[in-house]
Amino acid sequence: MHAESANATLGLIEAGRIVAILRGHAGDADQVLSATLADAGITALELTVDSPDAFSRIGRLAQAWAGRMAIGAGTVRTVEQARRAADAGAAFIVSPNRDTAVIAAAVSLGLVAIPGCQTPSEIVEAVDAGAQAVKLFPAQALGPAFVRAVRAPLGDVRLVPTGGVTPELARAYRGAGAWALGAGSELLGGDLAQGIDTGALAARARAFAEAAR
């Protein structure tokens, strides 16, 4: 059952190829924000666990978008955070680092684990621990050429460059063989607590979605 759930999550992420990263407080606008992203063709949303009321918000989003958008927990650094994410209804976790205990816990709970890595050795260690995809972070320190080079010996690994990704870079990363892209402030904008310009967000989301196809 865990394998089926993980495969369904990977399928949702793959459908849009963009993982939108929501960090901080968005007031009561999580549903509006997620609907705007979905309408533009983005099918995965990560809410970082250092955001206010993160696990309750993940739960509400997961319930609202079941089967239509993969909802995950970001900045997961401990086994306890992975457990809380699973209990809340998250389908995947994303970490800034590679911690094999966190990866193993997430996989045992039926979650897709996407740990942060920066070297071939870290990538292989993460996959050996059970990670189904790997976040290349910070991507701005690596670039599309790194993805292309790593894909030669590690072509079976799902790579998700994250950090400083723009639509133009998303297109370049995908051309180099990236499986998906993580997009935070470049997609969602500035202080979301001050309100969401849905028109501007929709335009940015469409640009990212088109670039990632």
Side-chain angles (χ1 to χ4, degrees):
M1 190 65 181
H2 281 350
E4 291 178 10
S5 175
N7 285 336
T9 299
L10 290 168
L12 273 176
I13 298 172
E14 191 172 271
R17 306 279 186 183
I18 294 290
V19 179
I21 303 166
L22 173 56
R23 183 184 300 276
H25 184 54
D28 297 320
D30 285 349
Q31 296 299 336
V32 171
L33 182 148
S34 57
T36 302
L37 295 174
D39 286 346
I42 291 175
T43 54
L45 174 62
E46 160 197 344
L47 176 62
T48 64
V49 299
D50 54 359
S51 300
D53 198 26
F55 295 104
S56 295
R57 291 164 67 191
I58 288 169
R60 289 191 292 271
L61 286 165
Q63 185 173 29
W65 291 102
R68 296 180 292 163
M69 176 181 283
I71 302 299
T75 317
V76 174
R77 296 173 57 192
T78 68
V79 169
E80 177 59 24
Q81 288 172 339
R83 289 180 179 143
R84 291 188 68 188
D87 288 343
F92 65 95
I93 65 160
V94 182
S95 303
N97 62 314
R98 180 204 75 258
D99 185 316
T100 56
V102 172
I103 295 168
V107 173
S108 73
L109 292 164
L111 306 179
V112 167
I114 310 176
C117 298
Q118 203 179 42
T119 69
S121 292
E122 290 178 350
I123 292 168
V124 171
E125 288 169 6
V127 172
D128 286 349
Q132 300 96 331
V134 170
K135 168 183 174 179
L136 292 181
F137 178 78
Q140 58 263 60
L142 300 169
F146 178 85
V147 173
R148 191 179 302 280
V150 167
R151 287 275 299 165
L154 301 176
D156 58 334
V157 180
R158 300 178 181 94
L159 300 176
V160 187
T162 304
V165 176
T166 62
E168 293 75 18
L169 278 172
R171 191 172 286 108
Y173 278 121
R174 285 283 290 132
W179 177 68
L181 295 308
S185 58
E186 293 82 8
L187 168 57
L188 299 184
D191 187 356
L192 297 173
Q194 302 301 314
I196 296 172
D197 182 338
T198 54
L201 174 59
R204 290 194 300 271
R206 285 194 299 270
F208 269 97
E210 290 168 5
R213 290 195 186 106

